[in-house]
Every structure is written in C-alpha cells, then in structure tokens.
Amino acid sequence: MKMKLFIVATPIGNLEDITFRAVQTLKDVDFIAAEDTRQSKKLLDRYDIETKMTSFHAQSGDAKTLQIIDRIKAGETCALISDAGTPGISDPGFRLTRAATKQGITIVPIPGPSALTTLISAAGFPTDKFTFHGFLPHKKGRQTLIKSFTEAAQSQIVYESVHRFPKLLKELQEHVGGQRMICVGRELTKMHEEIWRGSVDQAVAHFNKDNTKGEFVLIIAPESFTIA
Ligand code: SAM
C-alpha cells in the first residue's frame, strides 16, 4: 500500500471556497493534521466531516512531526490543512511535507485558495512575473528589503499582519516613495472584503480608521506601472 500525505487547501475566509475533492479527501483520510484544530473545526462542522484532528503548528517540534510521519508509515492516510489557504505558503506546512518526502511518502496536493493567488487574480497589476516575500522580517533586514522594492522590475508581494500594516505603509512612503502604486487586499472573500488600488500616499490617507483591521496582502507595483 502506498503511504500518502494529502496537502489540502481550505478557504481563506468564505467557507464555500472549498473544492469537492478537498471535502471528500478530508472525509476519507484517517486523520487530519491541522494548524489550529479549533479554527478548523468550523470548517469540518460545516461539511459534516467527522475525521479526527491532531495539531501541527509553528511550535510543533520534531517529535510531533515524527509522530505524524510514523502514523502514515504505519498505514494511516493523513491530510494536512492550515488555518487558511494552501498549506506551505508562509505557514509551517512545508516542514511536514519535507519530512514526509524524505521518508518516501507520496505527497498528493489538493489545490485551492491562497490569499496570494486570490489578490493576484483581481489586482490588475503586472503579475505575470512577481516576487513573493511572505511576511517581511520584523527587524533585521526589513528596511533593506523594503528599499530594494524601489528598483525592482517586477511586482513585489507581501503578507502583513494587522499590527504592522499601518507601519508598513509609512515605511513604503519613506523608502519607496509616496507615488508608487500598490494594491491592498484586505479581508479577502470575507464580509468586509476590500481590494484597494492607488498610490502609497493615497493609501496612508485611506487606511486610517476601521479599515486597518483584518488580514492583508499587498502588491507593490514596479515604478513604471501607473493606473490610468
Ligand atoms: N497559507 C496561507 C495562504 O495560502 O494564503 C497563508 C498563511 S499566512 C500564516 C496568513 C497570512 O495570509 C495573513 O497574515 C495575511 O497576510 C494573508 N491572508 C490570509 N487570509 C487572508 C484574507 N482573507 N485576506 C487577506 N489576506 C489574507
């Protein structure tokens, strides 16, 4: 029998954004490794998925990884899900996938939403080529990286936490310039979804009230790009 680990993409906000194949896989596997089992329970309840969960998150050490690998090697099938979106994109998912591949376990991706591709698809920014940074470093190297966006020939894409979003806009203003075009995806697929396009200066003026809450993806266009 083939040992299998399914990598299952789940919604980034709207619980209806899940594929038939993802739901069926989550029902069929012997267990689910979830980043936050309480968060994922809402999704499982919505689709009557009764499969047992075990947690696998950023703080899970090697022992937990091995425990999951050992269960798969003993014949159980496992689905890995993250809090939202596609496991392995700016979350701890890759650690389990890496360990599984080393053990000869077959990885089966079940594709679906990601905050990254969701914003790219709607931005209308040049994204046939782009650089994705995930979360920017909090301290060391942050300023240098942001400065490097100034000369970049292709769009730069970052994830940002709610706490640092206003700070990031100010940093872009200072290091990249107020005229640079950005696209902000806030609360994508959720009730208060906002896809905002404009200059950094306009963004600083716009995002200054309740609209600094939520989850954010940012696309920073190359200097040559204008919204005309
Ligand atoms: N693996 C996920 C994916 O495929 O998008 C990303 C996981 S990362 C830990 C979480 C970050 O993704 C958030 O801090 C935010 O930057 C972005 N994100 C997730 N859901 C989002 C949403 N609904 N709207 C905007 N950004 C979102």
Side-chain angles (χ1 to χ4, degrees), residues 123 125 169 177-184 195-204 206-207 219-221 225 227:
F125 271 41
L169 290 183
Q179 300 306 305
R180 185 63 63 99
M181 289 299 148
I182 61 171
C183 179
V184 178
I195 299 176
W196 186 94
R197 303 164 187 85
S199 70
V200 171
D201 280 345
Q202 289 167 334
V204 170
H206 174 79
F207 290 100
I219 305 180
I220 299 118
F225 179 69
I227 307 170

Side-chain angles (χ1 to χ4, degrees), residues 133-138 142 145-146 149 158-160 168 171:
H133 297 278
F135 293 103
L136 298 177
H138 297 173
R142 182 178 174 95
L145 187 56
I146 292 175
F149 298 169
V158 300
Y159 283 167
E160 192 51 282
L168 177 60
E171 289 169 320

Side-chain angles (χ1 to χ4, degrees), residues 10-14 35 82-92 113-117 132 135 158-162 185-190 214-218:
T10 58
I12 60 167
N14 186 323
E35 204 178 345
S82 55
D83 278 357
T86 301
I89 302 179
S90 297
D91 64 35
S114 169
L116 172 67
T117 50
F132 175 57
F135 293 103
V158 300
Y159 283 167
E160 192 51 282
S161 75
V162 59
R186 183 173 77 89
E187 293 288 82
L188 294 167
T189 76
K190 300 184 194 176
E215 297 195 280
F216 295 87
V217 190
L218 261 81

Side-chain angles (χ1 to χ4, degrees), residues 80-205:
L80 172 68
I81 59 177
S82 55
D83 278 357
T86 301
I89 302 179
S90 297
D91 64 35
F94 89 94
R95 288 198 285 118
L96 187 60
T97 314
R98 182 181 55 186
T101 49
K102 276 190 193 162
Q103 295 293 325
I105 293 168
T106 302
I107 309 293
V108 185
I110 312 289
S114 169
L116 172 67
T117 50
T118 302
L119 185 61
I120 287 176
S121 71
F125 271 41
T127 45
D128 47 342
K129 287 183 199 162
F130 60 87
T131 306
F132 175 57
H133 297 278
F135 293 103
L136 298 177
H138 297 173
K139 292 197 176 95
K140 199 168 181 286
R142 182 178 174 95
Q143 201 169 310
T144 311
L145 187 56
I146 292 175
K147 279 183 183 164
S148 76
F149 298 169
T150 314
E151 303 289 322
Q154 55 200 39
S155 291
Q156 308 291 301
I157 308 185
V158 300
Y159 283 167
E160 192 51 282
S161 75
V162 59
H163 312 292
R164 287 188 193 81
F165 175 68
K167 178 175 174 240
L168 177 60
L169 290 183
K170 296 273 186 214
E171 289 169 320
L172 288 172
Q173 209 172 24
E174 183 180 348
H175 301 303
V176 182
Q179 300 306 305
R180 185 63 63 99
M181 289 299 148
I182 61 171
C183 179
V184 178
R186 183 173 77 89
E187 293 288 82
L188 294 167
T189 76
K190 300 184 194 176
M191 191 188 295
H192 299 292
E193 175 179 83
E194 181 176 11
I195 299 176
W196 186 94
R197 303 164 187 85
S199 70
V200 171
D201 280 345
Q202 289 167 334
V204 170

